[in-house]
Amino acid sequence: MLTSEQNELLTRVGPGTPMGELLRRYWQPIAGVSEFDDRATKQVRLMGEDLVLYKDLSGGFGLVDRHCPHRRSDLSYGFVENCGLRCNYHGWLFGADGSCLEQPYEDTVSTGTSHRDKVKVKAYPVRTLGGLLWAYLGPLPAPELPEWEAFGWTNGFVQIVLSEIPCNWLQGQENSIDPVHFEWMHANWSVRLRGNRGPYAPKHLKLDFQEFDHGYTYRRIREDTDDQHALWTVGRVCLWPNGLFTGDHFEYRVPIDDTNMLSVGWFYNRVPREQEPYVQASIPTWRGPIVNEETGEWITTHVMNQDFIAWLGQGAIADRTQEHLGRSDRGVGMIRRQFMRDMERIAEGEDPKAIIRDPAAARSIVLPIADRRPVDEGYSLEELRAGKSFHHTRFMFQAGQPEAVRAAQEEAMGMAITTKGYVDG
Ligand code: FES
Ligand SMILES: [Fe+2]
């Protein structure tokens, strides 16, 4: 249980708030590179700031204030040039660093000192990695963008899924260190959603949480596993500060503002050995719906959709003054205390946890993976047809995989893929 002041401190992300300042110290994934195959600008709201993400004609990306500094017109309706973004109202042109490169009328009539040099638009650095666009909104110099080993994996089909979830980001991140929810929210609830009663899934018997350089691991022993099992010896990763890594996919909980988050999923499927070598031409990005259009209710069929329901159920900002934490929540307590310590470190002018300043240390970072076989060796077609890994033959994480993405995944895998959810057995 927290005081309401502590809850405010942990959840508010606007400019100048302690948690907002903390999260601005890290590169955040904000979009898919492939979203810009057929568009030049995208409206983005990030930690309470309204921005425009764009790709200019030379292929460079920029992230600038939504409002033009001239007379506040909306730059997302601007048009890109070889270098930068031009406002569609009076034609002022801005570079990715925010400098004003042209002011057509002023440039024509002015003599002497340039009016341009006095004007800048707010601008943030953008990088590409793993098919994602990453933004850094903190003080310069920016730290290194961590290049997780997974972003360099080859011979795989990768897809990115974006969903806007109307609740605070921390509810998502506390789910990143919550092993017991899997037993109930995914296993037992899914059986009941299928209409079966049946026996309950194997119970959790023992939990452990450990800090490491890039976050925390959570480890578990269930009734059907023992202390030799990789879920105990290795575990899964709560990635610092707002991610989850399970071995073949990442999930990021990126604050849009205090009461909305962008869920960014990055999913890797190694192709069957017979399909190697495989090179993916483009990583698709799609929008995952969270509402069932027919019923108007939340979608319950897929793993992450189920998680979203838990987070949404906690309210726009969970009232942590009303909760009753148990021993299963020890990891939740650990990350809350770490955030508090990090806020103090920032106030003292230090870097918070998991900031990387050494470029060499940011290359190909290996994270704990409970089962490396599916990503290191993969499977044969025969093994997959025999049901060796259902992760490979269906996309069960989020509902709504577009037909074109399913077809591309089938072509990569050389076999049929179903979009059926976790609930479908
Ligand atoms: S408002 Fe953008 S150029 Fe005038
Ligand atoms: Fe979950």
Side-chain angles (χ1 to χ4, degrees):
M1 190 172 98
L2 298 179
T3 64
S4 57
E5 291 75 22
Q6 289 171 322
N7 201 29
E8 289 273 304
L9 208 52
L10 286 170
T11 53
R12 303 286 169 175
V13 293
T17 60
M19 185 53 93
E21 291 305 303
L22 189 159
L23 291 171
R24 281 170 172 76
R25 305 292 167 118
Y26 301 85
W27 288 90
Q28 299 287 346
I30 60 167
V33 172
S34 58
E35 289 184 89
F36 289 84
D37 288 349
D38 52 12
R39 68 189 302 168
T41 64
K42 182 183 178 184
Q43 299 174 357
V44 170
R45 185 164 160 81
L46 209 50
M47 294 188 263
E49 298 185 47
D50 288 312
L51 306 166
V52 186
L53 182 59
Y54 69 84
K55 180 183 181 184
D56 68 21
L57 297 177
S58 62
F61 287 93
L63 180 66
V64 296
D65 195 348
R66 267 289 281 286
H67 295 289
C68 176
H70 177 215
R71 277 172 40 214
R72 312 288 296 157
S73 189
D74 185 342
L75 282 171
S76 71
Y77 291 93
F79 43 94
V80 290
E81 306 258 318
N82 256 336
C83 184
L85 177 65
R86 192 184 288 279
C87 180
N88 66 345
Y89 202 10
H90 312 99
W92 290 19
L93 175 69
F94 300 95
D97 65 354
S99 55
C100 188
L101 304 173
E102 289 179 21
Q103 295 176 347
Y105 184 76
E106 308 305 321
D107 293 345
T108 303
V109 299
S110 73
T111 49
T113 60
S114 170
H115 186 51
R116 280 203 309 271
D117 299 338
K118 302 192 191 82
V119 181
K120 259 189 112 118
V121 67
K122 181 169 72 176
Y124 295 118
V126 179
R127 293 267 306 271
T128 60
L129 178 64
L132 289 163
L133 287 161
W134 302 78
Y136 176 78
L137 276 64
L140 298 173
E144 294 297 314
L145 170 60
E147 293 179 15
W148 311 120
E149 171 208 11
F151 292 146
W153 286 339
T154 55
N155 284 311
F157 182 82
V158 175
Q159 57 196 301
I160 292 164
V161 188
L162 307 176
S163 296
E164 289 185 17
I165 317 295
C167 71
N168 184 259
W169 71 281
L170 185 59
Q171 283 141 238
Q173 187 56 5
E174 289 182 341
N175 184 207
S176 302
I177 192 149
D178 184 344
V180 170
H181 91 280
F182 194 90
E183 176 186 329
W184 291 97
M185 167 143 270
H186 302 307
N188 290 329
W189 189 34
S190 295
V191 168
R192 277 137 194 90
L193 285 168
R194 273 175 232 141
N196 304 329
R197 287 283 160 245
Y200 284 131
K203 271 199 299 220
H204 282 75
L205 301 176
K206 192 171 174 184
L207 302 176
D208 193 32
F209 305 91
Q210 286 184 350
E211 187 183 358
F212 76 115
D213 283 355
H214 307 291
Y216 288 77
T217 57
Y218 62 86
R219 309 183 307 131
R220 46 159 76 111
I221 298 176
R222 300 185 312 216
E223 285 175 322
D224 60 340
T225 61
D226 59 21
D227 62 4
Q228 302 303 307
H229 195 283
L231 285 176
W232 178 256
T233 57
V234 181
R236 303 235 188 262
V237 175
C238 169
L239 199 60
W240 205 253
N242 58 332
L244 169 77
F245 177 63
T246 66
D248 61 5
H249 83 267
F250 291 92
E251 296 172 25
Y252 288 89
R253 298 72 160 89
V254 181
I256 293 171
D257 52 33
D258 290 344
T259 53
N260 294 279
M261 88 179 85
L262 181 69
S263 165
V264 179
W266 184 97
F267 304 90
Y268 170 91
N269 282 115
R270 191 172 179 121
V271 298
R273 282 197 281 275
E274 292 85 341
Q275 295 289 104
E276 296 181 9
Y278 170 76
V279 178
Q280 189 173 14
S282 171
I283 295 175
T285 306
W286 52 277
R287 238 164 219 281
I290 63 170
V291 173
N292 179 328
E293 299 249 304
E294 278 169 30
T295 63
E297 295 175 341
W298 304 124
I299 296 169
T300 57
T301 49
H302 289 61
V303 176
M304 286 173 63
N305 294 90
Q306 296 179 337
D307 291 323
F308 299 157
I309 290 172
W311 314 343
L312 288 158
Q314 291 171 294
I317 299 179
D319 182 356
R320 294 179 177 78
T321 68
Q322 299 295 314
E323 61 188 12
H324 299 80
L325 300 188
R327 289 167 68 177
S328 68
D329 306 303
R330 205 157 54 81
V332 170
M334 287 166 89
I335 68 169
R336 289 178 186 176
R337 287 191 294 279
Q338 182 68 50
F339 282 129
M340 295 291 189
R341 281 196 297 275
D342 276 352
M343 285 186 249
E344 283 170 21
R345 273 156 84 160
I346 289 169
E348 287 161 11
E350 292 170 28
D351 274 339
K353 180 177 171 63
I355 291 291
I356 304 171
R357 298 273 174 200
D358 171 11
R363 301 288 99 81
S364 200
I365 304 168
V366 176
L367 293 170
I369 295 180
D371 183 7
R372 290 204 68 103
R373 161 89 199 267
V375 294
D376 282 351
E377 295 170 42
Y379 299 101
S380 67
L381 272 171
E382 195 184 337
E383 285 173 309
L384 291 179
R385 287 200 188 106
K388 186 86 182 160
S389 168
F390 59 91
H391 275 205
H392 284 74
T393 50
R394 64 172 163 170
F395 189 76
M396 59 171 198
F397 291 105
Q398 277 196 244
Q401 187 189 44
E403 180 54 30
V405 178
R406 191 186 62 80
Q409 189 171 355
E410 283 195 341
E411 198 186 332
M413 301 300 286
M415 60 187 300
I417 301 294
T418 168
T419 58
K420 275 187 183 171
Y422 189 71
V423 163
D424 297 308

